[in-house]
Amino acid sequence: MNKYPILAVFLIVLSACQGPADEVAPPPNILLFLVDDMGWQDTSVPFWTERTAFNDRYRTPNMERLAAQGMKFTQAYATPVCSPTRISLMTGMNAARHRVTNWTLHKDRLQPMETNHASLQFPHWNVNGLSPDSTIEHAVYATSYPQLLQEAGYYTVHAGKAHFGAIGTPGESPLNLGFEINIGGHAAGAPKSYYGKENFGNTEAFKDSPWPVPGLEKYHGEDIFLTEALKEEALAALALPLAKEQPFFLYMSLYTVHTPITADPRFFESYLEAGLDTIEARYASMVEGMDKCLGDLMDFLEEKKVDDNTIILFMSDNGGLSALARGGQPHTHNKPLSSGKGSVHEGGIREPMLVKWPGVTPAQSQNDNYLIIEDFYPTILEMAGIDDYQIPQTLDGESFVSLLQEPSTGEQTRPLFWHYPNEWGPSGPGIGAFSAVRKGDWKLIYYHVDESFELFNLKEDIGEQNNLVSSEVEKLKELAEVLTNHLQAVEAQMPSHKSTGLAVAWPNEKSINSKEE
Amino acid sequence: MNKYPILAVFLIVLSACQGPADEVAPPPNILLFLVDDMGWQDTSVPFWTERTAFNDRYRTPNMERLAAQGMKFTQAYATPVCSPTRISLMTGMNAARHRVTNWTLHKDRLQPMETNHASLQFPHWNVNGLSPDSTIEHAVYATSYPQLLQEAGYYTVHAGKAHFGAIGTPGESPLNLGFEINIGGHAAGAPKSYYGKENFGNTEAFKDSPWPVPGLEKYHGEDIFLTEALKEEALAALALPLAKEQPFFLYMSLYTVHTPITADPRFFESYLEAGLDTIEARYASMVEGMDKCLGDLMDFLEEKKVDDNTIILFMSDNGGLSALARGGQPHTHNKPLSSGKGSVHEGGIREPMLVKWPGVTPAQSQNDNYLIIEDFYPTILEMAGIDDYQIPQTLDGESFVSLLQEPSTGEQTRPLFWHYPNEWGPSGPGIGAFSAVRKGDWKLIYYHVDESFELFNLKEDIGEQNNLVSSEVEKLKELAEVLTNHLQAVEAQMPSHKSTGLAVAWPNEKSINSKEE
């Protein structure tokens, strides 16, 4: 066990576990539970200052259980779209630096909506995603933290959605990124079907399609939802490290609640009977199926008596989908937050985050500090006691381990950045090519297409309804400077205007203008 | 013009048109407007004795306009599934006779749900659909009425869904079935996408799929709904016969309102704002888009001043879908009728039918006589004045031309038959392998799987809630005899029981038993 560097914090765990004081504590198991496209309000756990109608709609008793045992983060951020988040998670880099700024699938191919944009010429971003070697063009070369965990002796299991690299590149397989086991992960970011009876999309009609979920053949034809099948396989995969008393890292990366929004038959009917819109009843049933998976994993850890030495991190990869494919009016599904997936408004980036670290996180605690997805990289390594590593990339993320013992602190001054020189497709509030910064209570958004700004005070205006560019000119200038400095420092790619061929101006070149003008 | 046989009824038209009394009247143009999967209540035109909430929900002003100008049929029947209806329409044969009893697509291939049935072994029905020549196995060899119209001098246009024959057989193309022009018709019975922006499904992902709509390339990438594109092309196709004063037959066979249930952006928002379930708002928008197409065709006929010599028949191919994919509770979307598509209950087979024959059908009239889809074949030929034709098939349909001048008659004694020795997939009221007969107010259903009956008095129980097999034993025996005689006369195929290898008994062998026993 001498290859595991041990942190001081383990001593706390150790005493909590009542082990002999002179024995070296085992590194903790780590479960990262990442939900796809889950919004900040898609849970019965309230993440706002007030309980909302959504908190009453959704049933997530196991998230409540986890929140009761650990710490709730009310201001955890990801990026608005899946791949940038997942690459930030795996590399510790901000999206502006890693350049995987939009979602990936086909090698060397831009999204069709990007090649056809009316007025912007987009940069050739890293369409091939993450690569563990330096020879792949248009990919970010980096070492993932699962790779470092594996090298430090962890048994690393990947279950569910990967979506790290384009088809035909090494990054498409979790096995090339530090995972010992891969259950159902590949280049695509959504399943063709959630139903075992439909072979999770592996039918004749889609035989050449990139979307059907790979593996899981034993469940084909069975009456089982994808989430359940992934969980069963994940639990089976843990038998080996448990038997060997080897620490494990389980990356439980659900395909739910991403489209296709599909009724989970175990839960659907009750939501329909409650009078929900049919699509919303389907969505709620997927949320509850996700929660059951979390609960089953927690039960398993307790049964195996490893819950006291297993850290659980719960997170989502972007805001809840709201611009399309949902029931009811678009852009309303994350209220009080504005907009949803694809948007840099809070609805697209603020996530339901929970952390339980036995002996470290106080039970039923709440933490209002903001943090961002690239922070998970150094945090998880610190949790595992790994502090001496050589990696090719520059880290932007900062460990939030110190936040886990203290529910709250004073005002934060660290800036967080988002950068999306891309096109997602649908339109709506906060959707479109942009760069943005949050610092303290303030958020500045810079839209590339017309070089305009939105400035919000999030403490007073969580719904981002009042654009203060005209009245808060000094704050606008200050944040435009901070944002510009970051973008230039990381050599961020910017789109150019098709009409002039000129690159979009840096925010600080435009910061005396406002969106209203 | 001497090749057009002229019916006496044309003289009526003639006098209405104030043509010279000694001139031979031109044959009428005929527009058959067939909607896919439209239910009896999916319209603002009331087809029941009472106006329903559905009549208030849906907006079909052009159906109202057509009903005001012509005759409404309140008891028009099709079969519960698309292909049997379409083959009955094209051949004049009852489904028990033509044996295309389930939906077609792939050559020589049974549906997967049929090969896997728990207890029934299904017959090898005519999976290849309709064939214009006698060499195709597992297909019904017949001459279509469009073929006869074409031979009699009509310019025949097919626009929309064909779904007549399996892939790789002559019947897959309307051009082999008497149509001079084919717009968007092929073997498949649904589009992959209704959106021009999605190339109606012709994308890389579905390049080997049978579902994308063929042709219509000029609309690819455009912001146009499929219904609109079909209509534009259909109108363009009529330029030639109008210029030549050649009578035309336009088979306007919409893909709507079949799945994928898709928002028609021209109408969707208003239904959502009215508080409809999102899927139901999408559905209602498709219904209104269908109605706009009807209205545009009617406008066109008026503009071209041929409306006075054009017969319009409006019909659907089976009941409204209700067992799956709809908003809200299943089996409720055709109320007061029970069940929907796939079911032999009224919700699966009763159709909204309208006929306008200028000078023949009284304006704003209602006809409560029942009729069935195979009746369209001899009717349309009689309308065209074609009464002397040689065809290989035996007709079951009866012309309803005589009904078009008289809104109502006394009690009917003719039996109508349905026969479905097949499996559709979903379950629900009236769904499953069956044979059925309607005679007068009575309807007997015989379920193959357990050789049981349902007997309803439709006049008193349109919702088919009260099964009278126990109390009306004489009626049961009488109808079982009528049904058996028909099935045996047309050599209907029956399933057999997997457990015994024995064919399902004939209805009259079981008619002393009831479903309750």
Side-chain angles (χ1 to χ4, degrees), chain A residues 400-457:
Chain A
F400 52 80
V401 162
S402 65
L403 297 180
L404 294 172
Q405 298 171 65
E406 278 298 327
S408 189
T409 66
E411 200 196 348
Q412 291 178 283
T413 56
R414 170 195 179 199
L416 301 184
F417 300 101
W418 295 265
H419 182 59
Y420 187 77
N422 302 84
E423 170 68 21
W424 184 53
S427 59
I431 300 176
F434 61 79
S435 307
V437 56
R438 171 163 183 184
K439 189 164 185 295
D441 295 331
W442 293 87
K443 181 164 135 192
L444 179 72
I445 305 169
Y446 176 61
Y447 294 99
H448 299 164
V449 68
D450 58 357
E451 303 183 350
S452 69
F453 292 100
E454 284 183 328
L455 177 67
F456 300 111
N457 184 316

Side-chain angles (χ1 to χ4, degrees), chain B residues 130-151:
Chain B
L130 168 61
S131 177
D133 71 57
S134 60
T135 65
I136 306 298
E137 283 196 281
H138 302 304
V140 56
Y141 166 47
T143 298
S144 74
Y145 71 90
Q147 182 72 44
L148 299 174
L149 289 171
Q150 189 178 36
E151 289 169 6

Side-chain angles (χ1 to χ4, degrees), chain A residues 109 192 204-211 268-269 272-273 276-279 282 325-330, chain B residues 109 192 204-211 268-269 272-273 276-279 282 325-330:
Chain A
R109 207 188 296 173
K192 197 73 213 171
E204 180 70 14
F206 302 112
K207 67 180 160 55
D208 298 322
S209 156
W211 303 105
F268 174 63
E269 197 64 29
L272 198 61
E273 281 166 8
L276 269 194
D277 184 285
T278 306
I279 295 175
R282 289 180 190 161
R326 291 290 297 272
Q329 293 292 346
Chain B
R109 207 189 295 174
K192 197 73 213 169
E204 181 70 14
F206 303 113
K207 67 181 161 50
D208 298 322
S209 156
W211 303 104
F268 174 64
E269 197 63 29
L272 198 61
E273 281 167 7
L276 269 193
D277 183 286
T278 307
I279 296 176
R282 289 180 191 161
R326 291 290 297 270
Q329 294 292 345

Side-chain angles (χ1 to χ4, degrees), chain A residues 13 16-17 26-31 65-66 69-70 238 242 248 294-313 355-361:
Chain A
V13 179
C17 296
N29 304 306
I30 301 172
L31 163 57
R65 173 180 166 197
L66 185 59
Q69 295 177 7
L238 295 186
L242 287 175
F248 65 78
L294 173 66
D296 290 350
L297 291 177
M298 291 174 74
D299 289 347
F300 176 86
L301 297 173
E302 289 170 15
E303 279 164 28
K304 301 296 179 188
K305 303 193 193 315
V306 293
D307 54 312
D308 274 349
N309 195 33
T310 301
I311 299 170
I312 303 178
L313 301 107
V355 181
K356 175 196 174 191
W357 187 351
V360 177
T361 47

Side-chain angles (χ1 to χ4, degrees), chain B residues 375-453:
Chain B
D375 297 343
F376 278 65
Y377 187 109
T379 302
I380 290 173
L381 291 174
E382 186 175 342
M383 287 170 160
I386 302 170
D387 56 6
D388 181 22
Y389 46 86
Q390 300 296 319
I391 53 175
Q393 73 266 35
T394 301
L395 287 187
D396 293 296
E398 299 179 8
S399 170
F400 53 80
V401 162
S402 66
L403 297 179
L404 294 173
Q405 297 172 65
E406 279 297 328
S408 188
T409 66
E411 201 195 349
Q412 290 178 284
T413 56
R414 171 194 179 199
L416 301 184
F417 299 102
W418 294 265
H419 182 60
Y420 186 77
N422 303 83
E423 171 69 20
W424 184 53
S427 59
I431 300 176
F434 61 79
S435 306
V437 56
R438 170 164 182 181
K439 189 165 185 291
D441 295 331
W442 292 88
K443 180 163 137 192
L444 180 71
I445 305 168
Y446 176 60
Y447 293 99
H448 299 164
V449 68
D450 57 356
E451 302 183 350
S452 68
F453 292 101

Side-chain angles (χ1 to χ4, degrees), chain B residues 110-169:
Chain B
L110 286 180
Q111 304 297 347
M113 62 283 249
E114 296 203 327
T115 53
N116 299 327
H117 195 274
S119 63
L120 290 178
Q121 178 74 42
F122 295 107
H124 203 319
W125 53 278
N126 278 336
V127 294
N128 293 330
L130 168 61
S131 177
D133 71 57
S134 60
T135 65
I136 306 298
E137 283 196 281
H138 302 304
V140 56
Y141 166 47
T143 298
S144 74
Y145 71 90
Q147 182 72 44
L148 299 174
L149 289 171
Q150 189 178 36
E151 289 169 6
Y154 271 80
Y155 190 82
T156 52
V157 177
H158 179 284
K161 171 169 165 173
H163 204 194
F164 298 129
I167 296 167
T169 71

